[in-house]
Structures are given as structure tokens and as C-alpha cells.
Amino acid sequence: GKRPYTGTSAAEVMGSVLNDPLPDLTPLAADVPVGVLALLERMLAKDALARPADAPALIVELEATLAEPTRAPVRRRAPVTPSGGWSSSWLLMILITVALVLGAVLLTALALRH
């Protein structure tokens, strides 16, 4: 994989996460439906008002997107496991995104306290 933000130190990476625009995720996830990518981009939005309001709202949006992932045009279908479930790359991307969003929320909360 490739990190969306880079830097020579943790502080540079955090500064990049807070200030630099979100890199285009499409080349990193060519097999992910556009509806899922759009939700990921909203989750990573710098403007808190553009993100889902809270975890329950995110869950509702995620369930709706996963139930109908082809709402937007799809470049290629994502591979599924032989059992018909979501592939591990999908699940990993969702988990990483949730972790990034939670990290951004925590950083924002800390920044507002000072």
C-alpha cells in the first residue's frame, strides 16, 4: 500500500493530514466502487460539517453504500472472497479509514483545547 500523507517525522505527517488536500484515492483503490470511495472521501474531509455527524450516522451511510455500492459508476467490481463476503482489501481500507477519521477527530479535539 501507499500512505496518503508523508513526512520526515510524525509531526510533519500530522501537519500534512491537517492541512494538505486529500490525495486522489482512485489510483489506490481501482477495484472499489465509486460510492464507497465517495463515502471514504467524506469521512476524511477537512471540514467537520462535510463528514458524517457521528458513528451512528456513519454506520447508516456505510450500510446504505455497501447495500448498493454501484449507486455511482464503477470502474471495476471489487473482488469478493469465495464465500461471497467482502474481500480483505475492502475491510482493511474501511478499518484504516475509520482509524484515520478517529485520529483526525482526536487531533481536532486536542487542537481546540489549546
Side-chain angles (χ1 to χ4, degrees), residues 65-83:
T65 301
L66 294 177
E68 197 177 339
T70 57
R71 285 185 292 184
V74 178
R75 290 169 304 286
R76 286 188 290 154
R77 290 204 180 272
V80 293
T81 61
S83 64

Side-chain angles (χ1 to χ4, degrees), residues 9-106:
S9 68
E12 274 188 26
V13 174
M14 285 188 237
S16 184
V17 168
L18 293 173
N19 299 310
D20 295 346
L22 179 66
D24 182 16
L25 299 177
T26 306
L28 302 174
D31 61 341
V32 177
V34 174
V36 174
L37 279 179
L39 179 57
L40 291 174
E41 289 172 353
R42 282 195 55 235
M43 292 168 59
L44 295 170
K46 304 290 185 217
D47 179 6
L49 296 176
R51 296 189 298 259
D54 52 27
L58 172 61
I59 290 169
V60 168
E61 287 189 51
L62 183 58
E63 287 174 342
T65 301
L66 294 177
E68 197 177 339
T70 57
R71 285 185 292 184
V74 178
R75 290 169 304 286
R76 286 188 290 154
R77 290 204 180 272
V80 293
T81 61
S83 64
W86 296 100
S87 71
S88 59
S89 62
W90 272 59
L91 296 176
L92 180 60
M93 183 174 8
I94 290 169
L95 289 174
I96 289 171
T97 301
V98 169
L100 287 172
V101 169
L102 291 175
V105 168
L106 289 173

